[in-house]
Structure formats: C-alpha cells, structure tokens
Amino acid sequence: MLKHCSQCGSNWSLHPFACATCGNTQLHDLQSKGMGTVKACSVVTRAPDMRWRALAPYTIVLVALEEGPTVMGQADAQLAIGDQVIGSVQSASTTEFIRFCRHQQNEQTES
C-alpha cells in the first residue's frame, strides 16, 4: 500500500504526514501493482536476528516500483539488476515482508 498525493501526484512507500514534493497533507491510499525493476541486489548470509536466521541465506533487492517509490524486499536468488519483477506480501513466523520474483510478461505472437 502506497500513499498518493492528491495535489502533485507523487507516490510514497512510507506513510508521511505531508508530501515531501509539495507539502500537501491530502494523502490517500494507493494499492501498488507490485511491479517494478530491480535496482540493487545483495545476498544476506548473516541474518540480523533469530526470525531471519531460518531463512538465511536470502537475497534482498531494491525495486523501483512502476508507481515511483523504491522499496526493499526479499527475492529469488537468480534475480539481477534490471530484471522486471512482481512482488507480494509474504509471512514467515510473525514477520511480514515483500517477496519479489521475476515477472513473466505475456508475449503475444502474430499469426
């Protein structure tokens, strides 16, 4: 879920009180499609706490969403910078996180 500024159209992944672009406080919820492009990848081998140690090693990515904001989430290990991905909310133990996988675009062929 993103925040959308009704005045300038900016979108935010965090939930600010006011738009950082124009200062407007009229922000509304916007459901992200979850699609974007990988900007950075990193493999985590030493997890920060017990909840994440069960998942290690795992890949984290920065993804520029189609709606504008950049978000961080877990991802398939074979992803690379520039890959088109789609994300979904996943749960592990008591933690929710965004998980990205490669987005397979439907290719249409002409007959």
Side-chain angles (χ1 to χ4, degrees):
M1 189 64 71
L2 304 173
K3 285 294 184 184
H4 175 76
C5 177
S6 61
Q7 186 169 316
C8 73
S10 293
N11 295 317
W12 304 95
S13 60
L14 301 176
H15 295 134
F17 172 74
C19 177
T21 302
C22 70
N24 180 32
T25 58
Q26 299 295 316
L27 303 178
H28 305 283
D29 289 338
L30 173 69
Q31 181 65 47
S32 173
K33 294 177 188 173
M35 293 187 285
T37 304
V38 176
K39 294 176 70 173
C41 299
S42 183
V43 175
V44 175
T45 57
R46 291 182 53 191
D49 60 36
M50 291 301 292
R51 291 182 296 187
W52 294 102
R53 284 188 190 122
L55 302 173
Y58 55 89
T59 301
I60 57 171
V61 291
L62 291 179
V63 173
L65 296 175
E66 287 181 352
E67 294 88 356
T70 296
V71 297
M72 182 173 25
Q74 281 193 322
D76 296 339
Q78 65 275 14
L79 289 179
I81 294 171
D83 284 347
Q84 298 298 305
V85 293
I86 187 164
S88 61
V89 176
Q90 303 286 312
S91 295
S93 186
T94 60
T95 303
E96 284 192 337
F97 56 92
I98 302 171
R99 172 103 175 134
F100 289 98
C101 60
R102 190 177 316 279
H103 179 57
Q104 302 294 333
Q105 294 181 345
N106 293 336
E107 294 183 12
Q108 297 181 359
T109 57
E110 294 181 18
S111 300

